[in-house]
Amino acid sequence: MIRFPMKPQVLALVCSLLALPVAAQDLQETPFFKDNAKNLPPIAERVPSAPLVIEGQGQPGGDIVTLVPRARDIRYISTYSYTRLVGYDRNLQLQPDLLEKFDNQDDKVFTFVLRAGHRWSDGTPFTAEDFRYYWEDIAHNKDLSPAGPPEFMLVDGKPPRFEVIDERTVRYSWDKPNPRFLPQLAGALDPAIYRASKYLKQFHAKYADKAALEEKAKQQKLKSWAALHNRMDDMKEQTNPDLPTLMPWRVTNAAPANRFVFERNPYYHRIDKQGHQLPYIDRIIMDVSAGGLFAAKANAGETDLLFRGVSMGDIPVLKEGERVHGYKTLIWPYARGTELALYPNLNTVDPVWRQLNRDVRFRRALSLGIDRKTLNNALLFGLGTEGNNTVVPESPLFSAELRTLNAQYDPAQASRLLDEIGLTERNGAGFRLLPDGRELEIIVETDGESSLVVDGLTLISEFWREIGVRLFVKPQDRTVLRNRAFAGLTVMVAAPGFDNAIPTAIMPPTEFAPMRQDNYSWPKWGQYVETKGMNGEAIDLPEAKRLSELYDTWMATGDEAVQDKVWREMLRNHAENQWVIGTVAGALQPIVVRNGLLGLPAKALYSWEPTAMLGLYRVDQIYWNKAASKEARR
């Protein structure tokens, strides 16, 4: 069961205890570094004096082959390798990771203590200077960061006071609570509030000759030294093999390439109780392959580990090849609010559709007009959960009532609501007419990347026909779709539901409030917030304003009881108002694992937030159980 996180003061004490090394534990040199003559210091000089000690009992060695659909997708290793200053454990409690310990005073003052002797992958020390460099020389440098410090580090528009206490200690202080600071650091996308300063200073105009940097930038067809610095400083994309890392593996080659090799970090900070340095796996090899071939290649035994790029519809094919090709397919529930969500655009520029989308009766009618049981059987083999876009039972915030509120199949009630709105006129085909005489045809736009979404929309078009509503599906490129939504040109968008369906009270409810333009239901409201009123539109519906007020309440407190109350009201607000029309949740995520490759649980929740795909389950602890399995196919 997922439990509520501990209070920060208690957590800080526990964190300091967890950082202690195992007494009298002899460190064991990794065979990979013995065999490869890396000319490295002994292991005792490569790991911190107080490393992070884990319970694993694996054996080091071997390679893992996986697939990516395009070269750029190697960046996802930054998510699922899940190395953070603080990160979630399997109970969704925040624990120190890169940090030795931290102290949180009422979500206002955060003191971080680094591990003594911790080093970057190139052997340079990881110290407070790396935090100072990011804060002063990147976040506050107008050339490198025109928008200034990241938004999650601002409270009432003001950044924290940053202090270097000593070589291993830094402090961030706000006058008011910043309860999202630690959860943001633990997110699927690492905000990386530190940098490899010794390496990057050679590309910074403050520390190197600006004219020489400008010339070097020009040679690489870049506009300025700042563009050069940003290219070299690429912790997320993994495009610069020379950039030091703190992750378990470091990339060794750059694009263009059809194969990318990630090699173990000799200075990684985690060890097991037997004295083995993690990761257990020596190399992760990513082969670029057409996404449509992933299931077939896995079926043919061409991968050791595969999860991103295969979906529930691939399970029969994957299961078929298990016995012959020596792998197993783990089946994990996908913890998402709903697999297919409909987002009526409340900010659409068409005045007739804007008025209609803003009428809660219309949104409820569309929800009541969907036969979710048929969708479940057709899309999820009857294994899904029917209802709203909301949290799943594994979340402590779950309410069974909110899953089904306004989400039953009741076409008669849907028709009554549409009549009540005044949509009583119909054409010869039986479809209702809009107030201006146009046919009530909803153009539902989607990125077309998910066959489940497109297939589901085809079924929904049949359900809505019964209540006099025509649905037209318009697939398109995701970037085009987003730009159309941001401009208010979409009427309705189909996409997956909430990314994080297993939240706890301490996680920011940003996804549930009109805070970001990437929510297809209220893109212009999100623009207004993100640009501080420069673009977009101010929120002008009372029920949506309430969501914004609740978000502000959550942001202003470190009291977990208050945060819990806020979350529950926001979830009810969503179910009652149908801002997003959910359908069925509970898709299953297949995870292909070669026989002999151990370390992943047989069953667990899969999601982007907060599990970071497999990240929560510590990919660095996956290992081969016998020597014969260690050699990856070349």
Side-chain angles (χ1 to χ4, degrees):
M1 286 293 293
I2 294 173
R3 298 189 296 269
F4 282 109
M6 292 177 283
K7 292 294 183 183
Q9 294 80 1
V10 177
L11 182 59
L13 175 61
V14 173
C15 292
S16 64
L17 296 175
L18 289 174
L20 295 175
V22 178
Q25 176 61 62
D26 293 329
L27 294 169
Q28 301 188 39
E29 185 56 85
T30 304
F32 180 80
F33 296 126
K34 286 182 180 178
D35 300 343
N36 285 269
K38 299 292 183 180
N39 196 27
L40 293 167
I43 187 170
E45 297 176 20
R46 300 202 311 269
V47 300
S49 58
L52 179 61
V53 182
I54 59 97
E55 295 289 341
Q57 297 185 359
Q59 295 296 319
D63 302 342
I64 286 177
V65 173
T66 189
L67 303 175
V68 291
R70 52 185 181 168
R72 191 183 176 206
D73 286 359
I74 67 173
R75 71 190 190 277
Y76 286 101
I77 196 172
S78 305
T79 293
Y80 60 75
S81 64
Y82 201 58
T83 306
R84 302 288 184 268
L85 293 173
V86 295
Y88 293 113
D89 64 16
R90 294 192 186 187
N91 294 317
L92 298 185
Q93 295 180 353
L94 289 169
Q95 306 287 5
D97 181 2
L98 295 171
L99 299 179
E100 179 178 332
K101 58 185 176 181
F102 64 86
D103 179 69
N104 173 7
Q105 298 179 24
D106 301 320
D107 284 329
K108 294 180 180 178
V109 181
F110 300 85
T111 304
F112 293 168
V113 180
L114 305 182
R115 299 177 187 276
H118 195 173
R119 296 178 180 273
W120 292 88
S121 58
D122 65 348
T124 56
F126 175 46
T127 70
E129 171 62 12
D130 298 318
F131 290 78
R132 186 213 62 78
Y133 180 79
Y134 165 75
W135 188 245
E136 295 181 2
D137 297 327
I138 296 180
H140 280 87
N141 184 290
K142 292 299 183 182
D143 293 321
L144 295 174
S145 304
E151 197 268 338
F152 80 94
M153 296 187 76
L154 305 179
V155 176
D156 289 344
K158 298 178 182 178
R161 293 180 297 279
F162 172 76
E163 303 171 79
V164 173
I165 308 302
D166 57 40
E167 188 180 51
R168 293 174 46 215
T169 311
V170 296
R171 180 173 295 146
Y172 300 87
S173 306
W174 287 269
D175 294 330
K176 296 180 179 180
N178 187 2
R180 60 178 171 163
F181 183 51
L182 293 181
Q184 190 83 23
L185 298 181
L189 291 179
D190 187 356
I193 60 171
Y194 54 88
R195 289 296 198 276
S197 59
K198 184 174 181 181
Y199 171 80
L200 289 172
K201 284 178 181 178
Q202 64 183 305
F203 306 107
H204 199 297
K206 178 179 175 180
Y207 302 96
D209 182 77
K210 185 176 180 181
L213 290 177
E214 295 287 0
E215 179 59 30
K216 190 170 185 177
K218 185 178 179 181
Q219 293 172 1
Q220 297 190 28
K221 298 182 180 179
L222 299 171
K223 292 183 178 180
S224 66
W225 74 267
L228 175 67
H229 184 283
N230 287 340
R231 174 175 285 185
M232 298 297 103
D233 176 23
D234 202 358
M235 293 175 67
K236 175 187 171 186
E237 298 291 327
Q238 303 296 308
T239 58
N240 179 8
D242 294 329
L243 180 66
T245 185
L246 300 173
M247 296 200 318
W249 299 275
R250 61 178 188 84
V251 68
T252 62
N253 64 305
N258 290 320
R259 165 170 281 199
F260 293 87
V261 178
F262 286 78
E263 193 174 279
R264 65 184 304 136
N265 174 1
Y267 294 90
Y268 194 54
H269 68 292
R270 300 179 192 168
I271 65 168
D272 69 14
K273 288 190 174 181
Q274 288 69 48
H276 296 123
Q277 184 185 28
L278 271 60
Y280 290 129
I281 296 297
D282 291 333
R283 302 193 310 166
I284 292 183
I285 299 171
M286 299 185 185
D287 288 333
V288 180
S289 175
L293 299 177
F294 276 23
K297 284 180 171 288
N299 173 283
E302 296 183 21
T303 69
D304 298 313
L305 178 67
L306 186 64
F307 49 95
R308 189 177 177 273
V310 288
S311 62
M312 189 170 181
D314 297 317
I315 291 176
V317 172
L318 297 173
K319 283 291 185 181
E320 185 181 86
E322 286 184 337
R323 184 178 61 82
V324 175
H325 293 291
Y327 66 85
K328 58 182 176 292
T329 308
L330 305 180
I331 308 295
W332 291 8
Y334 204 127
R336 192 153 49 193
T338 187
E339 296 305 312
L340 166 56
L342 295 161
Y343 294 79
N345 189 349
L346 306 171
N347 306 143
T348 186
V349 294
D350 186 308
V352 175
W353 277 111
R354 175 180 286 231
Q355 182 176 352
L356 203 53
N357 280 346
R358 287 172 171 233
D359 192 322
V360 69
R361 295 171 298 177
F362 182 65
R363 301 193 299 272
R364 287 175 180 169
L366 296 182
S367 178
L368 294 168
I370 298 174
D371 182 352
R372 292 173 172 84
K373 184 173 183 179
T374 298
L375 275 180
N376 190 5
N377 290 331
L379 304 178
L380 302 182
F381 309 108
L383 301 174
T385 301
E386 299 147 22
N388 285 318
N389 180 37
T390 190
V391 301
V392 299
E394 289 80 0
S395 169
L397 302 167
F398 174 74
S399 165
E401 175 196 2
L402 300 186
R403 176 64 72 177
T404 57
L405 185 63
N406 299 314
Q408 305 289 351
Y409 183 43
D410 191 345
Q413 175 61 10
S415 289
R416 284 192 291 270
L417 287 171
L418 294 174
D419 289 343
E420 184 181 314
I421 294 170
L423 301 171
T424 55
E425 297 295 320
R426 298 184 183 237
N427 62 15
F431 291 108
R432 297 173 187 269
L433 301 178
L434 294 170
D436 61 2
R438 286 180 291 169
E439 185 178 77
L440 204 170
E441 179 185 65
I442 303 177
I443 298 175
V444 180
E445 304 186 34
T446 178
D447 61 22
E449 293 182 5
S450 169
S451 60
L452 182 148
V453 169
V454 175
D455 292 345
L457 290 175
T458 302
L459 286 171
I460 292 173
S461 70
E462 295 302 318
F463 306 148
W464 282 357
R465 180 185 296 271
E466 295 182 36
I467 60 174
V469 176
R470 184 193 289 271
L471 185 157
F472 177 80
V473 183
K474 184 180 178 182
Q476 60 200 284
D477 177 78
R478 178 180 291 185
T479 301
V480 173
L481 173 63
R482 288 187 171 182
N483 289 338
R484 283 179 53 77
F486 300 162
L489 299 177
T490 58
V491 169
M492 189 175 293
V493 170
F498 294 129
D499 277 332
N500 184 1
I502 46 174
T504 63
I506 69 162
M507 297 179 188
T510 313
E511 200 177 3
F512 294 75
M515 307 304 299
R516 303 189 321 211
Q517 73 167 352
D518 61 2
N519 186 306
Y520 293 122
S521 288
W522 42 55
K524 287 186 175 291
W525 291 345
Q527 287 174 17
Y528 189 85
V529 173
E530 289 184 326
T531 63
K532 299 178 176 60
M534 297 294 291
N535 295 302
E537 302 172 4
I539 305 169
D540 58 351
L541 282 183
E543 298 82 3
K545 280 186 178 179
R546 180 58 183 159
L547 286 175
S548 182
E549 292 167 358
L550 288 166
Y551 180 78
D552 290 342
T553 299
W554 189 95
M555 286 288 293
T557 182
D559 187 328
E560 201 170 313
V562 175
Q563 293 172 335
D564 182 89
K565 186 176 179 181
V566 164
W567 260 106
R568 293 181 188 279
E569 186 178 339
M570 292 181 81
L571 291 170
R572 177 164 291 278
N573 183 305
H574 268 266
E576 290 177 345
N577 287 285
Q578 296 287 307
W579 303 118
V580 182
I581 301 169
T583 56
V584 288
L588 301 175
Q589 174 64 42
I591 300 169
V592 178
V593 182
R594 172 79 54 193
N595 291 347
L597 191 59
L598 306 179
L600 286 177
K603 198 163 192 176
L605 290 177
Y606 183 91
S607 66
W608 175 254
E609 293 276 8
T611 72
M613 296 186 278
L614 304 186
L616 203 69
Y617 309 100
R618 302 301 191 238
V619 177
D620 61 351
Q621 295 180 40
I622 296 175
Y623 64 97
W624 291 109
N625 73 337
K626 48 188 176 182
S629 301
K630 288 182 180 179
E631 193 66 22
R633 282 146 308 288
R634 295 294 192 266

